[in-house]
Structure formats: structure tokens, C-alpha cells
Amino acid sequence: MKIKLAKFSKSSPDIKSAPTYNETEFALLGRSNSGKSSFINSITLNGKLAKTSNTPGKTRLINHFEITTDKGLFIIADLPGYGYAKVSKTTQKEWQKNLENYLLKRENLGHCFLFIDSRHGLLDNDMQMVDWLILNKVPFINILAKCDLVKQNEILKRKKEIEYFTKTMCMPFSIKKPIYRDKILDFIEFNIN
Ligand SMILES: Nc1nc2c(ncn2[C@@H]2O[C@H](COP(=O)(O)OP(=O)(O)OP(=O)(O)O)[C@@H](O)[C@H]2O)c(=O)[nH]1
Ligand SMILES: [Mg+2]
């Protein structure tokens, strides 16, 4: 599958103000700083499309992107990262509720991509997210992000651990290694209408 055009659509605070689409949407989910926005830039080969940062908590709104390919259009939703330590527990809970509401009600949602930093593996709040996704039957796969920062045997170990715990596939990814990009695009192509 070839990307023809990638366009930012809109930032929305919640599902009510989000743009509606008939096309399949992939929602990026995961801790703050796990590499979600960088993934968009890497997949679309457009380094400036989504804002990335060394400071966790960069993405605080739901950002939609429309991606035109030779196989049709698909949507990416960049969701606010969870586990951002610098905000109060009450605010974190509010964000989490907002996130869950989005995932439960978004009609064109295909799969969630759950981002896990390969250096840390599944942390407590990731496990809670996984439990919630399974309980609510929200389809997801895992993205083992920043794979360039760990050794090959570590990648395999983490991948196995994650697949065992989540009972769903885990795809390694790195913005520095094009081979992973091709595999994700194959997955998306297979899952768009
Ligand atoms: N080495 C390496 N660094 C990465 C990779 N992906 C992302 N990063 C870095 O990790 C940091 C965070 O990336 P973001 O894409 O902004 O993370 P995010 O998940 O969107 O974070 P929030 O918006 O806070 O939820 C940035 O400094 C990126 O350059 C990767 O594959 N390899
Ligand atoms: Mg981000």
C-alpha cells in the first residue's frame, strides 16, 4: 500500500466535537511519550504532520488525520497519552473517562494501536488499559515502540510477554527502521474497507 496524501483534519476535546467519517479509523493509544505522534509522521513520511516532543503530555486533544492511499482512505486518531505525571490524579481520571467514552462510542473505529515503549514493556497503567479494552471488547493490537533503543533479543522477549498478557498480536516499530513501517501498512491495508 502506498500513501498518496496525509492531511491533518482537526483537534477535538471530545467525541462530540470530533469529525465524522465512514472510513475505518485506527486510534493511537498509550502512555505519554510512547511515540504515538512520531508514528504518524513516520507512517506518512511527513516529519511535520503530528507534533512530537521530548516533554510528555504534548498531545492533549484528539487529533484526526486523513490518509489517502492507493487502496483508499483511512483515518488515524492520535489520542492523548495517559500516565502523564505532571497533572493531578483527578485530571488524569477525567482524561481517562474521556478516552474510554471515545473508544466505546466511536462508530468508525477499526483497531486501537496500543503503544508500549520497548524499554519499559507493560507498566501498571498499560495493564489496566489492556484489561479495560478486553472487558469492553474494543479491538486492539500492540505496537512495541522505539525498538531501535533495545537489543534484538529484548524485542523478542517483550513481544512474547505482551502477546501472552494481552492475547493479541504485538508489532515491533521504530521510526528509524523502515521494515517495521511496511508491516504496519500491510496490517492497515488488510483491515480497511
Ligand atoms: N529512538 C526513538 N525515539 C522515538 C521513537 N518514536 C518516538 N521517539 C521519541 O520519543 C519522544 C516522544 O515521542 P512522541 O511521538 O511525541 O510521543 P507521544 O506518544 O505522542 O506522547 P504524548 O503526545 O505525550 O502522548 C520524542 O522525543 C520522539 O522523538 C523511535 O522509534 N525511536
Ligand atoms: Mg503525541
Coordinates of all heavy atoms in Angstrom, one line a residue, residues 54-129:
N54 N 9.8 15.9 23.4 CA 10.5 15.2 24.5 C 9.8 15.4 25.8 O 10.0 14.6 26.7 CB 11.9 15.8 24.7 CG 12.9 15.3 23.6 OD1 12.8 14.1 23.3 ND2 13.7 16.1 23.1
T55 N 8.9 16.4 25.9 CA 8.2 16.6 27.1 C 6.9 15.8 27.0 O 6.0 16.0 26.1 CB 7.8 18.1 27.2 OG1 8.8 18.9 26.6 CG2 7.4 18.5 28.6
P56 N 6.7 14.9 27.9 CA 5.4 14.1 27.9 C 4.2 15.0 28.0 O 4.3 16.1 28.6 CB 5.6 13.2 29.1 CG 7.0 13.1 29.4 CD 7.6 14.4 29.0
G57 N 3.1 14.6 27.5 CA 1.9 15.3 27.6 C 1.7 16.3 26.5 O 0.8 17.2 26.6
K58 N 2.4 16.1 25.4 CA 2.2 17.1 24.3 C 0.8 17.0 23.7 O 0.3 18.1 23.4 CB 3.3 16.7 23.2 CG 3.4 17.7 22.1 CD 4.1 18.9 22.5 CE 4.0 20.0 21.4 NZ 4.4 21.3 22.0
T59 N 0.3 15.8 23.4 CA -1.0 15.7 22.8 C -2.1 15.7 23.8 O -2.3 14.7 24.5 CB -1.0 14.4 21.9 OG1 0.2 14.3 21.2 CG2 -2.2 14.4 21.0
R60 N -2.8 16.8 24.0 CA -3.9 16.8 25.0 C -5.3 16.8 24.4 O -6.3 16.8 25.1 CB -3.8 18.1 25.9 CG -2.5 18.1 26.8 CD -2.7 17.2 28.0 NE -3.3 15.9 27.8 CZ -2.6 14.8 28.0 NH1 -1.4 14.7 28.3 NH2 -3.2 13.6 27.8
L61 N -5.3 16.9 23.0 CA -6.6 16.8 22.4 C -6.6 15.6 21.5 O -5.6 14.9 21.3 CB -6.8 18.1 21.5 CG -6.9 19.4 22.3 CD1 -6.6 20.6 21.4 CD2 -8.3 19.5 22.9
I62 N -7.8 15.2 20.9 CA -7.9 14.1 20.0 C -7.6 14.7 18.6 O -8.3 15.6 18.2 CB -9.3 13.5 20.0 CG1 -9.6 13.0 21.4 CG2 -9.4 12.4 19.0 CD1 -11.1 12.7 21.6
N63 N -6.5 14.3 17.9 CA -6.2 14.8 16.6 C -6.5 13.8 15.5 O -6.0 12.7 15.6 CB -4.7 15.2 16.6 CG -4.4 16.4 17.5 OD1 -5.1 17.4 17.5 ND2 -3.3 16.3 18.3
H64 N -7.2 14.3 14.5 CA -7.6 13.4 13.4 C -6.8 13.7 12.2 O -6.5 14.8 11.9 CB -9.1 13.5 13.1 CG -9.9 12.7 14.1 ND1 -10.5 13.3 15.2 CD2 -10.3 11.4 14.1 CE1 -11.1 12.4 15.9 NE2 -11.0 11.3 15.3
F65 N -6.4 12.6 11.5 CA -5.6 12.7 10.3 C -6.3 11.8 9.2 O -6.7 10.7 9.5 CB -4.2 12.2 10.5 CG -3.4 13.0 11.5 CD1 -3.5 12.7 12.9 CD2 -2.6 14.1 11.2 CE1 -2.8 13.5 13.8 CE2 -1.9 14.9 12.1 CZ -2.1 14.6 13.5
E66 N -6.3 12.4 8.0 CA -6.9 11.6 6.9 C -5.8 11.2 6.0 O -5.0 12.0 5.5 CB -7.9 12.6 6.1 CG -9.0 13.2 7.0 CD -9.7 14.3 6.4 OE1 -9.4 14.7 5.2 OE2 -10.5 14.9 7.0
I67 N -5.7 9.9 5.8 CA -4.6 9.3 5.0 C -5.2 8.7 3.7 O -5.9 7.7 3.8 CB -3.8 8.3 5.8 CG1 -3.7 8.6 7.3 CG2 -2.5 7.9 5.1 CD1 -2.8 9.8 7.6
T68 N -4.8 9.3 2.6 CA -5.2 8.7 1.3 C -4.1 7.8 0.8 O -2.9 8.2 0.7 CB -5.4 9.9 0.3 OG1 -6.2 10.9 0.9 CG2 -6.1 9.4 -1.0
T69 N -4.5 6.6 0.4 CA -3.6 5.6 -0.1 C -4.1 5.1 -1.5 O -5.2 5.5 -1.9 CB -3.5 4.4 0.8 OG1 -4.6 3.6 0.6 CG2 -3.4 4.8 2.2
D70 N -3.2 4.3 -2.2 CA -3.7 3.7 -3.4 C -4.8 2.7 -3.2 O -5.4 2.2 -4.2 CB -2.5 3.1 -4.2 CG -1.7 2.1 -3.4 OD1 -2.0 2.0 -2.1 OD2 -0.9 1.4 -4.0
K71 N -5.0 2.3 -2.0 CA -6.1 1.4 -1.7 C -7.3 2.0 -1.0 O -8.2 1.3 -0.5 CB -5.6 0.3 -0.7 CG -4.4 -0.5 -1.3 CD -4.8 -1.5 -2.3 CE -3.8 -2.0 -3.3 NZ -2.6 -2.6 -2.8
G72 N -7.3 3.3 -0.9 CA -8.5 4.0 -0.3 C -8.0 4.9 0.9 O -6.8 5.0 1.2
L73 N -9.0 5.5 1.5 CA -8.8 6.4 2.6 C -8.9 5.7 4.0 O -9.7 4.8 4.1 CB -9.8 7.5 2.5 CG -9.7 8.7 3.5 CD1 -8.6 9.6 3.1 CD2 -11.0 9.5 3.5
F74 N -8.0 6.0 4.9 CA -8.2 5.6 6.3 C -7.9 6.8 7.2 O -7.3 7.8 6.8 CB -7.4 4.4 6.6 CG -6.0 4.5 6.8 CD1 -5.4 4.9 8.0 CD2 -5.1 4.3 5.7 CE1 -4.0 5.0 8.1 CE2 -3.7 4.5 5.8 CZ -3.2 4.8 7.0
I75 N -8.4 6.7 8.4 CA -8.2 7.8 9.4 C -7.4 7.3 10.6 O -7.4 6.2 11.0 CB -9.7 8.1 10.0 CG1 -10.7 8.4 8.9 CG2 -9.6 9.3 11.0 CD1 -10.3 9.5 7.9
I76 N -6.5 8.2 11.0 CA -5.8 8.0 12.3 C -6.3 9.0 13.3 O -6.4 10.2 13.0 CB -4.3 8.1 12.1 CG1 -3.8 7.0 11.2 CG2 -3.6 8.0 13.4 CD1 -2.2 7.0 11.0
A77 N -6.6 8.5 14.5 CA -6.9 9.4 15.6 C -5.7 9.3 16.6 O -5.4 8.2 17.1 CB -8.2 9.0 16.3
D78 N -5.1 10.4 16.9 CA -4.0 10.5 17.8 C -4.6 10.9 19.2 O -5.1 12.0 19.3 CB -3.0 11.5 17.4 CG -1.6 11.5 18.1 OD1 -1.5 10.6 19.0 OD2 -0.8 12.4 17.9
L79 N -4.7 10.0 20.1 CA -5.4 10.2 21.4 C -4.4 10.7 22.4 O -3.2 10.4 22.4 CB -6.1 8.9 21.9 CG -7.1 8.3 20.9 CD1 -7.6 7.0 21.4 CD2 -8.2 9.3 20.7
P80 N -4.9 11.5 23.4 CA -4.0 12.0 24.5 C -3.4 10.8 25.2 O -4.1 9.8 25.5 CB -4.9 12.7 25.4 CG -6.1 13.1 24.6 CD -6.3 11.9 23.6
G81 N -2.1 10.9 25.5 CA -1.4 9.8 26.3 C -1.9 9.8 27.7 O -2.2 10.8 28.3
Y82 N -1.9 8.6 28.3 CA -2.2 8.5 29.7 C -1.0 8.4 30.6 O 0.1 8.3 30.0 CB -3.2 7.4 30.0 CG -2.7 6.0 29.5 CD1 -1.8 5.3 30.2 CD2 -3.3 5.5 28.3 CE1 -1.4 4.0 29.7 CE2 -2.9 4.3 27.8 CZ -2.0 3.6 28.5 OH -1.6 2.3 28.0
G83 N -1.1 8.5 31.9 CA 0.0 8.4 32.8 C 0.9 9.6 32.8 O 2.1 9.5 33.0
Y84 N 0.4 10.8 32.5 CA 1.2 12.0 32.4 C 1.3 12.5 33.9 O 0.4 13.0 34.4 CB 0.6 13.0 31.5 CG 1.3 14.3 31.4 CD1 2.7 14.4 31.4 CD2 0.5 15.5 31.4 CE1 3.3 15.6 31.3 CE2 1.2 16.7 31.3 CZ 2.5 16.8 31.3 OH 3.2 18.0 31.2
A85 N 2.5 12.3 34.5 CA 2.7 12.6 35.9 C 2.4 14.0 36.4 O 2.0 14.2 37.5 CB 4.0 12.1 36.3
K86 N 2.6 15.0 35.5 CA 2.5 16.3 35.9 C 1.1 16.9 36.2 O 1.0 18.1 36.5 CB 3.3 17.2 35.0 CG 4.8 17.1 35.2 CD 5.5 18.4 34.6 CE 7.0 18.2 34.9 NZ 7.8 18.6 33.7
V87 N 0.1 16.1 35.9 CA -1.2 16.6 36.2 C -1.8 15.8 37.4 O -1.4 14.7 37.6 CB -2.2 16.5 35.0 CG1 -1.7 17.4 33.8 CG2 -2.3 15.1 34.5
S88 N -2.8 16.4 38.0 CA -3.4 15.8 39.2 C -4.1 14.5 38.9 O -4.5 14.2 37.7 CB -4.3 16.7 39.9 OG -5.5 16.8 39.0
K89 N -4.2 13.6 39.9 CA -4.9 12.4 39.7 C -6.3 12.6 39.2 O -6.8 11.8 38.4 CB -4.9 11.6 41.0 CG -3.6 10.9 41.4 CD -3.6 9.5 40.9 CE -2.3 8.7 41.1 NZ -1.1 9.3 40.4
T90 N -7.0 13.6 39.7 CA -8.4 13.9 39.3 C -8.4 14.2 37.8 O -9.3 13.7 37.1 CB -8.9 15.1 40.1 OG1 -8.4 15.1 41.5 CG2 -10.4 15.2 40.1
T91 N -7.5 15.1 37.4 CA -7.5 15.4 35.9 C -7.2 14.2 35.1 O -7.8 13.9 34.1 CB -6.4 16.5 35.7 OG1 -6.6 17.6 36.6 CG2 -6.5 17.0 34.3
Q92 N -6.2 13.4 35.6 CA -5.9 12.1 34.9 C -7.1 11.2 34.7 O -7.4 10.6 33.7 CB -4.8 11.3 35.6 CG -3.4 11.9 35.4 CD -2.3 10.9 35.7 OE1 -2.4 9.7 35.5 NE2 -1.3 11.5 36.3
K93 N -7.9 11.2 35.8 CA -9.1 10.3 35.8 C -10.1 10.9 34.8 O -10.8 10.1 34.1 CB -9.8 10.3 37.2 CG -9.2 9.2 38.0 CD -10.1 8.7 39.2 CE -9.4 7.7 40.0 NZ -9.4 8.0 41.4
E94 N -10.3 12.2 34.7 CA -11.2 12.8 33.8 C -10.8 12.5 32.3 O -11.6 12.2 31.5 CB -11.2 14.4 33.9 CG -12.2 14.8 35.0 CD -11.9 16.3 35.3 OE1 -11.4 17.1 34.5 OE2 -12.2 16.7 36.5
W95 N -9.4 12.6 32.1 CA -8.9 12.3 30.7 C -9.2 10.8 30.4 O -9.6 10.5 29.3 CB -7.4 12.6 30.7 CG -7.1 14.0 30.5 CD1 -8.0 15.0 30.1 CD2 -5.8 14.6 30.6 NE1 -7.3 16.2 30.0 CE2 -6.0 16.0 30.3 CE3 -4.6 14.2 31.0 CZ2 -4.9 16.9 30.4 CZ3 -3.5 15.1 31.1 CH2 -3.7 16.4 30.8
Q96 N -9.0 10.0 31.4 CA -9.2 8.5 31.1 C -10.7 8.3 30.8 O -11.0 7.5 29.8 CB -8.8 7.7 32.4 CG -8.8 6.2 32.2 CD -7.7 5.8 31.2 OE1 -6.8 6.4 30.9 NE2 -7.9 4.6 30.6
K97 N -11.6 8.9 31.5 CA -13.0 8.8 31.2 C -13.4 9.2 29.8 O -14.1 8.6 29.0 CB -13.9 9.6 32.2 CG -14.2 8.8 33.5 CD -15.4 7.9 33.3 CE -15.4 6.7 34.2 NZ -15.1 5.4 33.6
N98 N -12.8 10.4 29.4 CA -13.0 10.9 28.1 C -12.5 10.0 27.0 O -13.2 9.8 26.0 CB -12.2 12.3 28.0 CG -12.7 13.2 26.9 OD1 -13.8 13.0 26.5 ND2 -11.8 14.1 26.5
L99 N -11.4 9.4 27.3 CA -10.7 8.4 26.4 C -11.6 7.2 26.2 O -11.9 6.7 25.1 CB -9.4 8.0 27.0 CG -8.3 7.4 26.1 CD1 -7.8 8.4 25.2 CD2 -7.2 6.9 27.1
E100 N -12.1 6.7 27.3 CA -12.9 5.5 27.3 C -14.2 5.7 26.6 O -14.7 4.9 25.8 CB -13.2 5.0 28.8 CG -11.9 4.5 29.4 CD -12.1 4.1 30.9 OE1 -13.2 4.2 31.4 OE2 -11.1 3.7 31.5
N101 N -14.8 6.9 26.8 CA -16.0 7.3 26.2 C -15.8 7.3 24.6 O -16.6 6.8 23.9 CB -16.5 8.7 26.6 CG -17.9 9.0 26.2 OD1 -18.7 8.2 26.3 ND2 -18.1 10.3 25.8
Y102 N -14.7 7.8 24.2 CA -14.4 7.9 22.8 C -14.3 6.5 22.2 O -14.9 6.2 21.2 CB -13.0 8.6 22.6 CG -12.7 8.9 21.1 CD1 -13.2 10.0 20.5 CD2 -12.0 7.9 20.4 CE1 -12.9 10.2 19.1 CE2 -11.7 8.1 19.1 CZ -12.2 9.2 18.4 OH -11.9 9.4 17.1
L103 N -13.6 5.6 22.9 CA -13.3 4.3 22.4 C -14.6 3.5 22.3 O -14.8 2.6 21.5 CB -12.3 3.5 23.2 CG -10.9 4.2 23.2 CD1 -10.0 3.5 24.2 CD2 -10.3 4.1 21.8
L104 N -15.5 3.7 23.3 CA -16.8 3.0 23.3 C -17.8 3.4 22.3 O -18.6 2.7 21.7 CB -17.4 3.1 24.7 CG -16.8 2.4 25.8 CD1 -17.5 2.7 27.2 CD2 -16.8 0.9 25.6
K105 N -17.7 4.7 21.9 CA -18.8 5.3 21.1 C -18.4 5.6 19.6 O -19.3 5.9 18.8 CB -19.3 6.6 21.7 CG -19.9 6.3 23.1 CD -20.9 7.3 23.6 CE -21.5 6.8 24.9 NZ -21.4 7.9 25.9
R106 N -17.1 5.6 19.3 CA -16.7 6.0 18.0 C -17.1 4.9 17.0 O -16.6 3.8 17.0 CB -15.1 6.1 18.0 CG -14.6 6.7 16.8 CD -14.9 8.1 16.6 NE -14.2 8.7 15.4 CZ -14.5 9.8 14.8 NH1 -15.5 10.6 15.3 NH2 -13.8 10.3 13.8
E107 N -18.0 5.3 16.1 CA -18.6 4.3 15.2 C -17.7 3.7 14.1 O -17.9 2.6 13.8 CB -19.9 5.0 14.5 CG -21.0 5.1 15.6 CD -22.3 5.6 14.9 OE1 -22.4 5.7 13.7 OE2 -23.2 5.9 15.7
N108 N -16.8 4.5 13.6 CA -15.9 4.0 12.5 C -14.6 3.4 13.1 O -13.7 3.2 12.3 CB -15.6 5.1 11.5 CG -14.9 6.3 12.1 OD1 -15.1 6.6 13.3 ND2 -14.0 6.9 11.4
L109 N -14.6 3.2 14.4 CA -13.3 2.7 15.0 C -13.0 1.3 14.5 O -13.9 0.4 14.6 CB -13.4 2.7 16.5 CG -12.1 2.3 17.3 CD1 -11.0 3.4 17.0 CD2 -12.4 2.3 18.8
G110 N -11.8 1.1 13.9 CA -11.4 -0.2 13.5 C -10.6 -0.9 14.6 O -11.2 -1.4 15.6
H111 N -9.3 -0.7 14.6 CA -8.5 -1.2 15.7 C -7.9 0.0 16.5 O -7.6 1.0 15.9 CB -7.3 -2.0 15.2 CG -7.7 -3.4 14.8 ND1 -8.3 -3.7 13.6 CD2 -7.6 -4.6 15.4 CE1 -8.6 -5.0 13.5 NE2 -8.1 -5.6 14.6
C112 N -7.6 -0.3 17.8 CA -6.7 0.6 18.5 C -5.3 0.1 18.4 O -5.1 -1.1 18.4 CB -7.0 0.6 20.0 SG -8.5 1.5 20.4
F113 N -4.4 1.0 18.3 CA -3.0 0.6 18.4 C -2.5 1.0 19.8 O -2.4 2.2 20.0 CB -2.1 1.3 17.3 CG -2.4 0.8 15.9 CD1 -1.9 1.5 14.8 CD2 -3.2 -0.3 15.6 CE1 -2.1 1.1 13.5 CE2 -3.4 -0.8 14.3 CZ -2.9 -0.1 13.2
L114 N -2.2 0.0 20.6 CA -1.7 0.3 21.9 C -0.2 0.4 22.0 O 0.5 -0.6 21.7 CB -2.2 -0.7 22.9 CG -1.8 -0.5 24.4 CD1 -2.4 0.7 25.0 CD2 -2.2 -1.7 25.2
F115 N 0.3 1.6 22.2 CA 1.8 1.8 22.2 C 2.5 1.5 23.5 O 2.1 2.0 24.5 CB 2.1 3.3 21.8 CG 2.0 3.5 20.3 CD1 0.7 3.5 19.7 CD2 3.1 3.8 19.6 CE1 0.6 3.6 18.3 CE2 3.0 4.0 18.2 CZ 1.8 3.9 17.6
I116 N 3.5 0.6 23.4 CA 4.3 0.2 24.6 C 5.7 0.6 24.3 O 6.3 0.1 23.3 CB 4.1 -1.3 24.8 CG1 2.7 -1.7 24.6 CG2 4.8 -1.7 26.1 CD1 1.9 -2.1 25.7
D117 N 6.3 1.3 25.1 CA 7.8 1.7 25.0 C 8.6 0.4 25.2 O 8.5 -0.2 26.2 CB 8.1 2.8 26.0 CG 9.5 3.4 25.8 OD1 10.4 2.6 25.5 OD2 9.6 4.6 25.9
S118 N 9.4 0.0 24.2 CA 10.1 -1.2 24.3 C 11.1 -1.3 25.4 O 11.5 -2.3 25.9 CB 10.8 -1.6 23.0 OG 11.6 -0.5 22.6
R119 N 11.5 -0.1 25.9 CA 12.5 -0.1 27.0 C 11.8 -0.5 28.3 O 12.4 -1.0 29.3 CB 13.1 1.3 27.2 CG 14.0 1.6 26.0 CD 14.4 3.1 26.1 NE 13.2 3.9 25.9 CZ 13.2 5.3 26.0 NH1 14.4 5.9 26.2 NH2 12.1 6.0 25.9
H120 N 10.5 -0.2 28.5 CA 9.8 -0.4 29.7 C 8.9 -1.6 29.7 O 8.5 -2.2 30.8 CB 9.0 0.8 30.1 CG 9.8 2.1 30.0 ND1 11.0 2.2 30.6 CD2 9.5 3.2 29.3 CE1 11.5 3.5 30.3 NE2 10.6 4.1 29.5
G121 N 8.4 -2.0 28.6 CA 7.4 -3.1 28.5 C 6.0 -2.6 29.1 O 5.8 -1.4 29.3
L122 N 5.2 -3.6 29.5 CA 3.9 -3.2 30.0 C 4.0 -2.7 31.4 O 4.5 -3.5 32.3 CB 3.0 -4.4 30.0 CG 2.4 -4.9 28.7 CD1 1.8 -6.3 28.8 CD2 1.3 -3.9 28.2
L123 N 3.6 -1.5 31.7 CA 3.6 -1.0 33.1 C 2.2 -1.1 33.6 O 1.3 -1.4 32.9 CB 4.1 0.5 33.1 CG 5.6 0.6 32.5 CD1 6.0 2.1 32.5 CD2 6.6 -0.2 33.3
D124 N 2.1 -0.7 34.9 CA 0.8 -0.9 35.6 C -0.4 -0.3 34.8 O -1.4 -0.9 34.6 CB 0.8 -0.3 37.0 CG 1.5 -1.2 38.0 OD1 1.8 -2.4 37.5 OD2 1.7 -0.8 39.1
N125 N -0.2 1.0 34.4 CA -1.4 1.6 33.7 C -1.6 1.1 32.4 O -2.8 1.1 31.9 CB -1.3 3.2 33.7 CG 0.1 3.7 33.4 OD1 0.9 2.9 32.9 ND2 0.3 5.0 33.5
D126 N -0.6 0.5 31.7 CA -0.8 -0.2 30.4 C -1.7 -1.5 30.7 O -2.6 -1.8 29.9 CB 0.5 -0.7 29.8 CG 1.4 0.5 29.5 OD1 0.9 1.5 28.9 OD2 2.6 0.4 29.7
M127 N -1.4 -2.2 31.8 CA -2.1 -3.4 32.1 C -3.6 -3.1 32.4 O -4.5 -3.8 32.0 CB -1.5 -4.1 33.3 CG -0.1 -4.4 33.0 SD 0.3 -6.0 33.6 CE 2.1 -5.9 33.9
Q128 N -3.8 -2.0 33.1 CA -5.2 -1.5 33.4 C -5.9 -1.2 32.1 O -7.1 -1.6 31.9 CB -5.2 -0.3 34.2 CG -4.9 -0.6 35.7 CD -4.6 0.6 36.5 OE1 -4.8 1.7 36.1 NE2 -3.9 0.4 37.6
M129 N -5.2 -0.6 31.2 CA -5.8 -0.2 29.8 C -6.1 -1.5 29.1 O -7.2 -1.6 28.5 CB -4.8 0.6 29.1 CG -5.3 1.3 27.8 SD -6.3 2.7 28.2 CE -7.9 2.3 27.5

